[in-house]
Amino acid sequence: MGSFVISKRKNGEFQFALKAGNGQVILSSEGYTTKAACENGIESVRKNSQDDKRFDRLESKNGKPYFNLKATNGQIIGNSEMYESVVARENGIASVAKNAPDATVKEELE
């Protein structure tokens, strides 16, 4: 089962990472000024990850596939790592859709 891990950046902002059952990060968030905003971001991922149209399938300048997950307002709520292939990116999207709805929330704020 997946988990959302809330952590704090050096600049004091909160962020979350969605990890698959094997511990691999499959989606990372932007920085949030408050923990409550970060938790709202997690709820947005839970909801929006169930709609395939919310995933922007992109390619970096060096040709690596990756994706962004967007909210209904078009704002990016999470992005993926760089993948070696389009197939790997699609597997990453499927993993987010599978893990996000029931993922537990953990805090690593120290």
Side-chain angles (χ1 to χ4, degrees), residues 53-101:
K53 292 189 295 291
R54 301 270 177 254
F55 289 95
D56 270 355
R57 290 155 170 90
L58 304 162
E59 191 174 286
S60 67
K61 288 185 176 123
N62 65 0
K64 301 252 187 197
Y66 71 102
F67 65 86
N68 289 331
L69 177 61
K70 290 188 170 179
T72 49
N73 65 4
Q75 185 177 0
I76 295 171
I77 48 180
N79 47 48
S80 73
E81 65 180 354
M82 298 293 159
Y83 291 98
E84 293 301 318
S85 68
V86 170
V87 171
R89 178 183 64 197
E90 292 303 313
N91 288 340
I93 290 170
S95 185
V96 169
K98 183 181 130 203
N99 284 284

Side-chain angles (χ1 to χ4, degrees), residues 5-6 25-26 29 34 38-39 41 53-54 61 72 74-76 84 88 92 95 106:
V5 179
I6 297 174
V25 174
I26 51 178
S29 78
T34 65
C38 187
E39 290 168 338
K53 292 189 295 291
R54 301 270 177 254
K61 288 185 176 123
T72 49
Q75 185 177 0
I76 295 171
E84 293 301 318
S95 185
K106 301 175 183 171

